[in-house]
Each structure stands twice: as structure tokens, then as C-alpha cells.
Amino acid sequence: TQLLEQSPQFLSIQEGENLTVYCNSSSVFSSLQWYRQEPGEGPVLLVTVVTGGEVKKLKRLTFQFGDARKDSSLHITAAQPGDTGLYLCAGMEAGSSNTGKLIFGQGTTLQVKP
Amino acid sequence: DAGITQSPRHKVTETGTPVTLRCHQTENHRYMYWYRQDPGHGLRLIHYSYGVKDTDKGEVSDGYSVSRSKTEDFLLTLESATSSQTSVYFCAISETFANYGYTFGSGTRLTVV
């Protein structure tokens, strides 16, 4: 079973600061997704990256897939209190294209203080 | 947009009793998944379905069974609930392959006392 390690697990910052969350594995994933989850709700998809080296931007959020498709990062510029939540990375297992199974990292809890 | 709903949202049950959680979708998606979420473990796959009556086990399937008799419904049953099954359970659906992302339900918080 492939594993995804997220770091840091907890992050508390002031509004306006920048931050980066990392998602690493020793295995190759065919694609990787990032989700954001708020208390009492299910995760919501932010982005999917499928090509090694791919960079996607979503307003102040920048997502990157490693060249070898083993790692990914999420960078938030000028964080705002509304960015507070649990961020989860998830990768599709190699050979799971016919089942769509995802492996999830443990998550990064982000708190942005006003 | 309630394309996927879970019921109940909260449940407290006693050890040893059977429990069934329901996931209902209106999106006609082929793939459906049951995950549990626990602190420090993220989301772990319990069972999944790739079509009506087509199901398979995930990484933490012991003590759980599933059924999918219709495209829109995916049931998760705890045959005899244990305290270790206290968790938040999420159902997710996917249109084709996971590259397109999952849509999650709002979860069921289950407490086994």
C-alpha cells in the first residue's frame, strides 16, 4: 500500500503570512488531488494534478506536482482567516485507474489568525 | 447542491448492535466509496463500489460489509459495533476515474458506547 506523508500536521499563522504544505511519498502516483475540509463537513476538491512538474494556481493557492510524481506542495500566499481548515492530499494508487481508489495523507490543520 | 446525502448525520449505539449507514446520490455516478476519518489517520478506505452489486474491500474492511443494489444507494453495515468503530464516516462518489475528484457527503458521526 502506498503512503502519503503530509507536513506539517499543524500550522498556526497570522493573517498575511505565506505558507507551504508538503505531501510526500516513496511511490509514484498517477495523479494527486488536494482537498479542503471544514469542521462538520466533508472534504471539498480544490485541484487535481496529473503531469509531473505541473503547476496549477487557484487565486492565492499554488499547487505543484513533483517531476517524479512522488510529491506535491500547496503554497498559500497572504493567508486569510477564511483559509482556516484541514488540507488533505490524496493520490491515486498505481494500477487503480479502474477503481478510482484514493490514498489520503493525514492532513494539515491550518489556523490563520486575524 | 445535495448530490450526495448521508444518513443519519449522528448516531449513538451500543456495543454489539448492528448499524447501517446510508449513502444516497442523485448524480448517477458509477463509483462510490466509504471512508472513515480518525485523528492522526486521515481518511481510510473501508469499502468501495464500481457498479451495482460490484464491491470490494479497502484497507480497513474488517467488521464492515456493504451493499449496492441500486446505482444511487450504497449501504455500510457494522455487523456488531465495537468501540473501535467510533469514528466519522464519509461517503464519496466519483464520475469515472478519481482524476476527476471525489464529491463527499457531509459525514455520519458514529459513537459506539
Side-chain angles (χ1 to χ4, degrees), chain A residues 1 30-31 33 35 37 40-43 45 48 50 86 88 92 97-106, chain B residues 9 30-31 33 35 37 40-43 45 48 50 57 59 90 97-102 104-107:
Chain A
T1 302
S30 57
S31 66
Q33 299 171 4
Y35 292 80
Q37 184 179 17
E41 296 297 327
L45 179 69
T48 300
V50 297
L86 176 67
L88 295 156
M92 186 189 296
S97 59
N98 61 336
T99 64
K101 291 193 300 181
L102 288 177
I103 299 296
F104 282 82
Q106 315 97 306
Chain B
R9 288 297 310 273
R30 177 182 176 187
Y31 297 89
Y33 309 85
Y35 283 84
Q37 186 173 37
H41 291 279
L43 286 156
L45 182 64
Y48 64 99
Y50 45 95
K57 297 178 180 180
E59 62 177 309
F90 286 99
F97 301 138
N99 277 358
Y100 298 99
Y102 287 177
F104 281 88
S106 297

Side-chain angles (χ1 to χ4, degrees), chain B residues 17-28:
Chain B
T17 61
V19 178
T20 295
L21 308 183
R22 181 182 184 232
C23 178
H24 178 77
Q25 62 147 327
T26 58
E27 305 296 323
N28 200 36

